[in-house]
């Protein structure tokens, strides 16, 4: 993930409803959820939830697919992981792998 992609993702996540939607879709797993169920969970109208879902999809954090008459939304796990990796890229000045759960500045010999 490059800096512009990270900025777009963070801008998208900086709104409460959108952050809640992403967290909901992460919990839902790869099967995702229909747009209506996302709206119900958020307590938002269909037009309002559609606005937020579109914003998140443009940022590349979620994706949609059609199943019969429903639009199913799911988290894009590689994009979310890429965002975390972008933040941790320079952890320990490259002396350990940020994907390693034991990686932390206090555990690396910097």
């Amino acid at each position: 993930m490059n800096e512009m992609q990270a900025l777009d993702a963070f801008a998208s996540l900086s709104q409460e409803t959108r952050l809640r939607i992403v967290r909901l879709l992460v919990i839902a797993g790869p099967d995702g959820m229909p747009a209506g169920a996302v709206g119900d969970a958020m307590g938002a109208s269909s037009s309002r939830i559609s606005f937020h879902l579109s914003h998140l999809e443009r940022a590349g954090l979620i994706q949609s697919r059609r199943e019969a008459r429903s639009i199913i939304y799911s988290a894009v796990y590689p994009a979310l992981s890429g965002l975390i990796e972008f933040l941790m890229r320079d952890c320990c000045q490259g002396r350990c792998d940020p994907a390693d759960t034991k990686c932390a500045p206090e555990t690396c010999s910097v």
Side-chain angles (χ1 to χ4, degrees):
M1 177 170 289
N2 65 40
E3 190 171 282
M4 286 307 296
Q5 291 169 318
L7 287 170
D8 286 344
F10 283 122
S12 185
L13 292 171
S14 69
Q15 199 280 338
E16 179 183 3
T17 301
R18 290 192 289 269
L19 179 61
R20 290 178 59 214
I21 290 169
V22 169
R23 293 185 74 205
L24 178 70
L25 292 176
V26 165
I27 292 167
D31 291 339
M33 295 177 69
V38 174
D40 290 346
M42 295 296 116
S45 67
S46 60
S47 62
R48 191 78 183 138
I49 208 67
S50 178
F51 168 80
H52 290 304
L53 290 168
S54 295
H55 199 287
L56 289 165
E57 193 165 24
R58 278 192 306 275
L61 299 174
I62 67 170
Q63 60 190 1
S64 64
R65 68 182 185 281
R66 181 171 291 282
E67 284 187 10
R69 294 177 50 185
S70 296
I71 304 293
I72 308 297
Y73 287 89
S74 56
V76 178
Y77 293 98
L80 295 169
S81 295
L83 189 57
I84 301 303
E85 183 181 319
F86 174 82
L87 288 174
M88 299 297 294
R89 185 172 297 148
D90 298 321
C91 173
C92 306
Q93 290 86 37
R95 290 190 174 93
C96 66
D97 179 6
D100 181 354
T101 58
K102 295 179 180 120
C103 177
E106 64 273 8
T107 62
C108 293
S109 57
V110 179

